[in-house]
Amino acid sequence: MGSVFLPHLHTGWHVDQAILSEDDRIVVIRFGRDWDKDCMLMDEILYGIAEKVSNFAAIYLCNIDEVPDFNEMYELYDPMTVMFFFRNKHMMCDFGTGDNNKMNFVIDDKQEMIDIIETIYRGARKGRGLVVSPVQYTRRS
């Protein structure tokens, strides 16, 4: 049900505006399909933390079928991908998976997700483009 309550970005323009419009907060975008199991699980986590992180993060959802503009650019080949942006800059995070560009696995703990977003926010505020996740995740198959 989280996907019902979180704001959706319906065009490439909306995605760009969401990324461009935030000067002081991290923009978290979950790319995927609302009906996908992994997306539903992640959406529940994101919805559950949205209010708690609202001071330093804005959370959006984007359907990769409805808005295919970024699929190739961001290599959105997984069913569910979460990406982070700060002041129109793509923020990278080392999760220990080998892919620092995006999170393509489900986090099932709200506090863990809050910690990740907070770590990215703190690094972004210090001018870093790459931060190390507070928890290291192994490659998931």
Side-chain angles (χ1 to χ4, degrees):
M1 280 305 283
S3 66
V4 173
F5 299 108
L6 292 169
H8 282 71
L9 304 171
H10 295 286
T11 66
W13 183 83
H14 288 106
V15 173
D16 286 340
Q17 290 307 304
I19 293 169
L20 287 168
S21 68
E22 289 293 341
D23 286 333
D24 297 320
R25 299 192 298 173
I26 291 286
V27 175
V28 180
I29 303 177
R30 191 276 292 147
F31 292 97
R33 299 170 181 94
D34 291 347
W35 51 263
D36 181 80
K37 184 182 97 166
D38 287 346
C39 289
M40 286 192 257
L41 293 170
M42 187 56 104
D43 291 353
E44 284 300 313
I45 295 296
L46 292 172
Y47 173 66
I49 68 167
E51 194 172 321
K52 292 176 183 156
V53 300
S54 63
N55 288 337
F56 58 91
I59 300 172
Y60 298 97
L61 308 179
C62 183
N63 183 316
I64 58 175
D65 293 328
E66 182 181 6
V67 186
D69 309 29
F70 303 98
N71 294 356
E72 193 172 320
M73 182 189 332
Y74 294 139
E75 299 176 358
L76 303 174
Y77 307 126
D78 299 299
M80 190 280 313
T81 302
V82 178
M83 295 186 74
F84 308 92
F85 302 88
F86 185 70
R87 294 185 179 156
N88 195 28
K89 182 180 177 191
H90 174 219
M91 291 299 300
M92 295 187 286
C93 187
D94 181 359
F95 297 105
T97 61
D99 187 354
N100 296 342
N101 293 318
K102 56 193 175 274
M103 174 190 293
N104 54 9
F105 52 91
V106 177
I107 301 285
D108 56 5
D109 181 82
K110 290 179 186 177
Q111 188 57 51
E112 219 171 281
M113 192 66 196
I114 291 170
D115 293 346
I116 289 168
I117 295 171
E118 200 170 2
T119 299
I120 293 170
Y121 174 73
R122 286 183 180 158
R125 296 287 296 180
K126 292 177 182 175
R128 296 189 179 118
L130 172 66
V131 298
V132 177
S133 170
V135 177
Q136 292 296 292
Y137 302 90
T138 57
R139 189 74 152 135
R140 299 180 186 204
S141 48

